[in-house]
Amino acid sequence: MADGLFEAMRRSVEEGDVAAAEATARTAVDEGLDPLEAIESGYVPGLSCVGEGFASGELYLPDMVLAAKAMKAAMSVLEPEMKRRGATRSVVGKVVLGTVKGDIHEIGKNLVGTMLSASGFEVHDLGVDVPLDRFADVAGEVGADIVGVSALLTTTMTNQRAVIDTLTSRGLRPTVKVIVGGAPVTQAWADEIGADGYSEDAVGAVTLARRLVGA
Amino acid sequence: MATAINPIVNPRLRVQVLDDEEIQRIHTATLEVIESAGVRFPSSRALDIWAANGARVDRDTGVVRAPGALIEDALRRAPAEYTLAARDPSQDLPLDGRHVYAGTDGCGIEVVDVETGELRRSTYRDVADIARVADALEEVAFHWVAVSAQDRPAESRGLHELAAIWRNSTKHVQTESVVTEREARAAVEMAAAVAGGRERLRERPVLSLMECTTSPLGQDGGAIDAGLVAAEAGVPVGFMTMASCAFTGPVSRAGTLVVGNAEVISALALMQLAYPGCPVYYAAAQTAMDLRSGAYTGGGPEDFVFGAATNALADFYHVPLSMGAFATGAHEPDWQAGLENGLSMLLASAVGSDMLLGVGLLNGSRIWSYEQLLLDCEIYALVRESLKGVEVNDETLALDVIRTVGPGGDFLAEPHTRRHMRELWQPRFLDRRPHGTWLAADDRARDWARARAQALLAEHRPEPLDDVTAGTLAEIIARVEANAGVAAGVGST
Ligand code: B12
């Protein structure tokens, strides 16, 4: 019985079918299935399959984003049940992500967030034009492993340094690693401001984040 | 003496991508979108203006839903024609629908050093040098701020960049790096100093502003406020959509045109509601996202068609168009750069776009290359000559000469040939040498382009800005810096 349901869960993610993902999650809850098992045996294999297809170039970005959306929909149905049972899902790492103050470019940052969540990270997306203190505030609150700072403008990239400085002055470094990216950002800049890593695209950001948390 | 600008005039080749009915459908769909989904204006000033004119305004989300008639009425107030003034009046640019002008591309981040070939962060000096070289080129009609002056404080950078260009060129300046009300006020003041006062500036706008919209269906609050400052002063302002198929716009071309059109015409309408009759223009650089990386591609069939289609829309609204052309995604001046920039330039010109942006940047508007600048100018010249079409009159039909030469023989020694031979186009950067010569020389058009840039950098002396005006510009910048708390001296020009 559960095998058929797991299969349907996997397919819902692979096909990016949000309604089916929610429906299968609800069935799992109604039938008293362990939500953690539903995630690991049902939805995660679907997401991994899409992730592999995307990495090999067979699938496109919309496939990936839809799969992540379906996964998220299923999670929001399962989460209350997990809370009720006192179960927590182990995550690869916690990431606080945002575009710095003065900057409203969000496309690249969103992609990085999507790919990180799809790879098992818990992502706290602060949005765009984020006040510099907020990165440290939220990193402290959620116990982040990584803070990701996006900047697309030469006028705002200096704020990446400021974010690192606040994290340092709050004593959050070096436990919290900082990764940076965006059009004007280079490895040299990342080194200059003392960031722990830089990537020029979302796939590289995942590799980088995994390396930093030792996954 | 200022270099005469040699623009495309009255292109004879004409391309039509949308018929009247299709344009009307896109327009109607756009009005429906503005009225139903709405457009976000995160500016309290803008929301007040919309509310005062009867639009539905949601103060919490900043979304404005305006009836179609309000948009149409407002757009009718926009002037169809006006002139972008230059410091030297012989370089004025009438936006009259008959000309196609090219400007430099803008806001590059790195520069391929013209001497060492190394890639490095852009500085104030680069802004000045590029302006000086562009000043000498007949294909470049006006400037954008080609790269960012990253060695100047962020608070006043956009102003230093303007000063650098005015000090190094007499041509019109259109800035795309002034995106806040505060900077816009200072920029207008600087422009007034260059033009000779506020009233003179209104008559002779030596500056224009280019602001971005935020697809889908949004505006940047700072950009809108900056635009209102320009509109009040009679400084032309345009709004550019960069909607990207499948990401910030629908996957379909028509859908992405509708989304971008809603952003642009709602911003232009707002300017007209605030300052009826102020000079505005439509600006666009739509593309299709790269399906693998989500990147803004900047070059590809969708871009080329958008260039042509958007001009049809701007014509429909009777406003000038500034169109994203050139701006290849290529990493160096190569096959891809030539192909993308050639085709985007050709299509955007064959429909008569008024302004084309822009020459000189690589890698999706990130890396400045002097080689690319000169090669782009070659593309412009080639297209300009192509678009002249065929002139038919007694002199060009050349019946007398044809009779004289008769069957066989040649036209080499005919006076008619000598009279007109210089009208044939001569390339500067196309390699037409015999193969053996090419092999032996072991150089490329890129090398010639770099040599030409080096020569211009060494030799070209633009008409300087008088000391008094230059001093005034520096004072305005210093005041802005003092108010912003920038340490004295850091920002000295
Ligand atoms: C689309 C775009 C916009 C859109 C943004 C829409 C949106 N909702 O985000 C709009 C039109 C609103 C816009 C506005 C402006 N823009 Co803009 N924009 C671009 C453009 C063309 C593409 C950016 C993009 O989305 N790329 C696609 C994504 C997928 O790539 P990405 O952002 O680079 O992200 C990838 C990597 O960088 C990396 N990454 C990104 N963030 C992070 C974070 C971490 C932690 C890591 C590890 C990795 C990482 O991974 C991402 C995924 O692969 C770039 C040019 C370019 N080619 O980059 C200019 C560009 C960034 N913009 C520029 C400018 C100047 C502006 C404006 C000032 C223009 C104006 N006159 O209004 C305004 C600024 C507004 C503001 N206050 O922020 C300049 C900046 C140059 C400079 N000198 O500073 C650029 C380079 C273009 C140019 N030369 O003019 N822009």
Side-chain angles (χ1 to χ4, degrees), chain A residues 54 57 60-62 104 107 111 154-155 183-184 186 189 192, chain B residues 109 121 148 150 157 214 220 247-248 289 291-294 366:
Chain A
F54 180 67
Y60 290 143
L61 189 59
I104 59 166
I107 298 172
L111 269 187
T154 49
T155 44
T186 56
W189 171 251
E192 188 180 326
Chain B
I109 293 159
R121 220 173 277 169
S148 294
Q150 295 178 65
R157 189 171 297 165
T214 311
D220 175 9
F247 209 138
T248 52
M289 118 176 148
L291 277 171
R292 297 226 158 83
S293 64
R366 274 178 286 204

Side-chain angles (χ1 to χ4, degrees), chain B residues 190-227:
Chain B
M190 289 169 71
V194 172
R198 287 277 176 158
E199 277 320 301
R200 278 293 278 169
L201 177 63
R202 200 173 283 282
E203 290 156 24
R204 296 193 43 74
V206 291
L207 173 72
S208 53
L209 258 55
M210 205 296 296
E211 305 294 340
C212 278
T213 66
T214 311
S215 310
L217 302 179
Q219 312 288 354
D220 175 9
I224 287 289
D225 291 341

Side-chain angles (χ1 to χ4, degrees), chain B residues 111-195:
Chain B
V111 173
V112 183
D113 190 280
V114 75
E115 296 302 333
T116 66
E118 261 170 63
L119 200 59
R120 54 172 178 74
R121 220 173 277 169
S122 58
T123 64
Y124 177 88
R125 174 78 195 274
D126 294 316
V127 181
D129 282 348
I130 293 168
R132 197 154 54 81
V133 172
D135 185 73
L137 299 172
E138 63 170 28
E139 292 85 4
V140 179
F142 65 99
H143 302 272
W144 260 15
V145 179
V147 298
S148 294
Q150 295 178 65
D151 51 350
R152 291 295 179 270
E155 295 80 356
S156 55
R157 189 171 297 165
L159 306 176
H160 283 287
E161 291 164 350
L162 281 180
I165 300 178
W166 273 317
R167 293 177 77 130
N168 285 280
S169 176
T170 45
K171 294 177 183 174
H172 179 82
V173 186
Q174 183 165 96
T175 178
E176 77 297 6
S177 68
V178 164
V179 294
T180 62
E181 179 183 347
R182 186 180 52 81
E183 269 185 304
R185 291 208 181 283
V188 165
E189 206 181 330
M190 289 169 71
V194 172

Side-chain angles (χ1 to χ4, degrees), chain A residues 97 102-109 111-112 148-155 179-183 198-202 205 208, chain B residues 106-109 148 176-179 210-215 220 223 240 242 247-248 293-296 361 363-366:
Chain A
L97 185 66
D103 202 322
I104 59 166
H105 291 85
E106 64 179 347
I107 298 172
K109 185 251 323 158
L111 269 187
V112 170
V149 195
S150 184
L152 271 278
L153 299 170
T154 49
T155 44
I179 61 176
V180 292
Y198 152 78
S199 162
E200 61 179 18
D201 62 20
L208 173 66
Chain B
C107 277
I109 293 159
S148 294
E176 77 297 6
S177 68
V178 164
V179 294
M210 205 296 296
E211 305 294 340
C212 278
T213 66
T214 311
S215 310
D220 175 9
M240 173 178 273
M242 299 180 73
F247 209 138
T248 52
S293 64
Y296 180 94
L361 285 180
N363 188 215
S365 298
R366 274 178 286 204

Side-chain angles (χ1 to χ4, degrees), chain B residues 74-100:
Chain B
L75 289 175
R76 268 193 280 274
R77 301 176 192 168
E81 296 181 11
Y82 53 90
T83 294
L84 300 179
R87 201 146 70 64
D88 184 320
S90 74
Q91 294 172 317
D92 282 2
L93 310 173
L95 302 181
D96 53 8
R98 299 174 55 241
H99 293 83
V100 180

